[in-house]
Amino acid sequence: MHFIRKPLELQRQNRFTQSFFLKKDMKFVIAKGYERYSDFIHSIPSGGYVAETVFCNNRNVVELVTVEGFPMVVKRFKKPNLINQVVYAWFRKDKAWRSHDNALILLEAGIDTPHPIAYIRHVSGGVYQSGWYIYEYFAGDRLDSALKRLDQDGQDKLMTAFFKFTIGLFAKDIINKDYNPGYVLVRPASGGRYHFSLVDINRMSHRPATLADEMAAFNQLNLTAEQESRWLPLYAQLRGTELAPL
């Protein structure tokens, strides 16, 4: 007997999604509540829209668009290498699909991330070509940008709130493998608090975190030596751990 694996497009779709379309070489999945934007979403692969702001045009393209007065972000992932073209077509979810599903996991866990609107997969000739992830726009500053505008006391207060947020992630068995401060959005909340939202979430693990996982996340913050000397003891204190002497 020969076993033939179905392409990912033909496997069971995510239970949280409302609309699922296959159109030629394209797969469109639209989240519940966003079906009214279907025409716009179907126009994305052909570039049938005007971007108001381009946040990034490097490895991937990240753009702000407004549809019927509603701001959203369109992120296009670049075409991967040949190995991943095959892997993403047949064996593994691509980055757009993973971003969509990880967003739903975060939201169910009470962790904020811009709400997913849709994702698109382009598979042609049996290999993956590209993908798009569309999500709600979150008006906030990047964590690194927010820190630069604060004095030392303000920075310490912001990082205290951020470390509590981070410890909460680990407590819920969520490990974000891209914990760059540019991928953490922040805005002030009432009572002197801060509200955090995660973006660029295609690389995540869902398991109990080890101390090595926590330190890997800390290292991705790209802190200066002076900031590390201030904030590593703070992080250890908040998580109830004493630092070993050097």
Side-chain angles (χ1 to χ4, degrees), residues 194-237:
Y194 289 97
H195 182 84
F196 299 97
S197 185
L198 298 179
V199 295
D200 208 332
I201 53 174
N202 71 85
R203 297 201 318 129
M204 292 176 55
S205 294
H206 309 284
R207 57 172 174 77
T210 65
L211 182 58
D213 293 321
E214 296 186 52
M215 291 299 95
F218 193 92
N219 288 336
Q220 289 187 64
L221 298 177
N222 298 321
L223 303 177
T224 65
E226 185 274 334
Q227 289 173 331
E228 283 191 0
S229 67
R230 284 163 51 199
W231 292 334
L232 186 56
L234 172 62
Y235 181 83
Q237 178 185 2

Side-chain angles (χ1 to χ4, degrees), residues 51 53-64 73-76 135 142 183 200:
T53 304
V54 179
F55 297 121
C56 176
N57 188 5
N58 191 4
R59 180 179 57 183
N60 304 310
V61 180
V62 184
E63 301 170 316
L64 172 66
V73 176
V74 176
K75 180 173 184 177
R76 177 176 181 170
Y135 55 93
R142 291 166 38 137
Y183 302 153
D200 208 332

